[in-house]
Amino acid sequence: MPMAHPQNKYADFEGLRERAVALRREGLSRRQIRDRLHVDNNDILNRLLEGEPPPEWTKRPNAKDDVRERARELRLQGWTYDQIQVELECSKSSISLWVRDLPKPDRRRTPEEASTIAKRGWEATLRRREEERQQAKAASKSTVGHLSDRELYLAGVVLYWAEGSKDKPYSRRERLQFINSDPNVITFFMRWLDVLGVAPERVRFRVSIHESANVTEAEEFWARLVGVDTTAFQTPTLKKHNPKTNRKNTSDAYRGCLVIYVLKSADLYRRMEGAWYGIVGAASATDLQNRT
């Protein structure tokens, strides 16, 4: 297929702008829009988004005037960056910018005091970073919205191909069997089975766990999560203890992994595998189209 001339890449500017504006109003950032539309020219991207304000989650919070003034007051009183950071819970880089024209205070603290203040400043930084982390996650979560059954089906196919048991030419395993330790992943997988139309009586469960753990509590935990009685669980798989292994999963929250498999699921497995390669093919075709 002949390659398009670079000057023709943005020939349908109005159509491209409509798509860019629509993505902007959905809450996407400039980087996300650039990657989605394959626009690698910043001038073009600026024209496409002209007049469209950025979503709230991408805006960097501006320092309030009263915080800046308070920082300057404290600096004039002889406070250090560490002390101002703890008091106002703002970054040292911001403080440096606000007070760089003011004289440096004389150091009047012992090394122990300096260490304590620095530690408190670092703790304040960690709290601020955690808040920013949670805000970014919440903002991204809110953009997902409702998922259709088709979207759930495709997401489940990708998840299964990453985590589920797969058929091999030398070992035929055409059945749905899935194992994971994340309760959220297990919940999603059970919802995926609903989308596939799998009846509950076709589903079997088994716990895979270290032999030193509380197997009964683990089975009760997973049974509550998937909505069945513990009597529905098959004999657990116990992992032998290796004294040379430095295990990290030794807390009370350790529940091992839940193994889920579906009886008579060869046809479902083939549908899943076919859909996976359909996703791969569609993605490859889209990439080729965008590069031509």
Side-chain angles (χ1 to χ4, degrees), residues 17-277:
R17 173 170 166 76
E18 289 182 6
R19 294 171 60 194
V21 170
L23 293 173
R24 190 58 146 177
R25 293 176 180 176
E26 289 177 12
L28 272 66
S29 66
R30 285 174 58 90
R31 179 183 293 274
Q32 291 171 326
I33 295 172
R34 183 197 67 189
D35 294 343
R36 186 75 63 86
L37 301 182
H38 302 279
V39 176
D40 49 14
N41 184 306
N42 284 331
D43 292 335
I44 295 293
L45 186 60
N46 290 337
R47 290 172 56 195
L48 292 173
L49 297 176
E50 185 176 1
E52 290 297 320
E56 290 296 326
W57 72 270
T58 65
K59 296 180 180 177
R60 295 179 179 269
N62 295 320
K64 296 181 180 178
D65 292 339
D66 55 347
V67 177
R68 184 189 300 107
E69 291 305 315
R70 180 59 178 160
R72 292 180 64 82
E73 290 175 6
L74 295 176
R75 187 63 167 176
L76 289 173
Q77 294 174 21
W79 287 42
T80 65
Y81 284 3
D82 289 332
Q83 292 170 318
I84 296 173
Q85 180 186 34
V86 173
E87 177 70 16
L88 302 182
E89 295 192 351
C90 51
S91 67
K92 286 186 181 181
S93 59
S94 296
I95 297 170
S96 175
L97 182 63
W98 299 335
V99 305
R100 60 186 175 184
D101 61 316
L102 302 180
K104 295 181 179 180
D106 296 331
R107 293 188 176 276
R108 301 173 182 174
R109 60 178 184 264
T110 66
E112 291 76 15
E113 291 172 333
S115 177
T116 299
I117 292 173
K119 181 180 179 181
R120 291 170 58 195
W122 178 242
E123 290 172 347
T125 297
L126 293 179
R127 287 196 300 271
R128 186 179 68 256
R129 288 179 180 176
E130 181 60 25
E131 291 175 0
E132 294 172 351
R133 184 180 295 111
Q134 295 304 324
Q135 289 173 0
K137 290 179 180 180
S140 183
K141 178 181 177 181
S142 66
T143 64
V144 175
H146 172 75
L147 293 180
S148 65
D149 282 354
R150 181 177 185 276
E151 290 169 330
L152 282 168
Y153 172 66
L154 294 178
V157 167
V158 175
L159 174 64
Y160 187 92
W161 196 258
E163 298 291 332
S165 175
K166 289 176 280 294
D167 178 53
K168 304 292 184 183
Y170 53 83
S171 178
R172 289 301 177 191
R173 299 177 183 178
E174 290 187 318
R175 62 175 179 175
L176 294 183
Q177 178 170 304
F178 188 82
I179 180 171
N180 207 272
S181 62
D182 188 330
N184 289 326
V185 172
I186 292 297
T187 299
F188 183 89
F189 183 76
M190 294 298 294
R191 178 69 182 91
W192 185 62
L193 293 182
D194 289 339
V195 172
L196 288 176
V198 176
E201 56 269 21
R202 293 175 57 194
V203 184
R204 296 292 184 269
F205 305 95
R206 172 169 47 85
V207 169
S208 177
I209 194 168
H210 197 273
E211 63 179 354
S212 62
N214 190 320
V215 179
T216 301
E217 286 187 1
E219 288 185 334
E220 291 174 350
F221 171 81
W222 291 115
R224 286 193 301 271
L225 184 73
V226 299
V228 300
D229 191 84
T230 54
T231 57
F233 277 58
Q234 297 183 335
T235 303
T237 299
L238 301 182
K239 302 176 184 177
K240 295 296 183 181
H241 176 64
N242 184 351
K244 296 182 180 180
T245 302
N246 183 20
R247 293 178 56 227
K248 304 295 184 182
N249 53 351
T250 57
S251 68
D252 293 338
Y254 173 61
R255 309 295 184 188
C257 297
L258 183 64
V259 182
I260 306 173
Y261 59 95
V262 181
L263 299 177
K264 299 180 180 179
S265 55
D267 181 65
L268 291 176
Y269 178 88
R270 293 163 189 166
R271 286 169 52 192
M272 179 282 304
E273 183 171 342
W276 164 248
Y277 285 111

Side-chain angles (χ1 to χ4, degrees), residues 3-13 16 19 34 37-41 44 48 289-292:
M3 298 292 291
H5 193 280
Q7 294 181 350
N8 296 331
K9 185 174 182 180
Y10 309 112
D12 185 15
F13 182 83
L16 196 61
R19 294 171 60 194
R34 183 197 67 189
L37 301 182
H38 302 279
V39 176
D40 49 14
N41 184 306
I44 295 293
L48 292 173
Q289 183 178 9
N290 291 330
R291 290 189 284 114
T292 57

